[in-house]
Amino acid sequence: MNDKREHELLLRERAISDARISSELEGSQSTVATRGDQDAYVRGEINLTQLSERVRSRYGLA
C-alpha cells in the first residue's frame, strides 16, 4: 500500500474512533449497522458522503 493511501486510512480510523468515543462519553452507542458502515469507511470502501447518506437514511434524516 502506498504511503498516501495508508495515511488516509489511518486518518479515517482515527476520525471514526474519535466519533465512537465521543458518542460513548455522551451515553450513546452506534448500532451494529452503523458500526459496519463506519468500518467500511475506515477500509476505504465508501467515502464520507456515502457514510453520511447511509446513516441519515437509516434514521430517517435523509
Side-chain angles (χ1 to χ4, degrees):
M1 188 179 310
N2 69 36
D3 290 339
K4 184 176 179 181
R5 172 107 171 118
E6 187 174 326
H7 179 71
E8 180 177 334
L9 294 178
L10 288 172
L11 290 176
R12 288 175 177 229
E13 182 176 15
R14 181 164 186 187
I16 294 301
S17 176
D18 288 350
R20 288 177 178 174
I21 290 169
S22 179
S23 291
E24 290 170 4
L25 289 172
E26 294 174 2
S28 181
Q29 186 175 12
S30 54
T31 64
V32 171
T34 295
R35 291 175 76 83
D37 289 340
Q38 291 169 334
D39 292 341
Y41 171 72
V42 169
R43 291 188 300 268
E45 297 169 2
I46 62 173
N47 63 36
L48 189 56
T49 300
Q50 292 167 312
L51 172 60
S52 178
E53 288 171 351
R54 288 181 182 190
V55 173
R56 292 179 63 78
S57 176
R58 182 172 297 115
Y59 297 105
L61 302 172

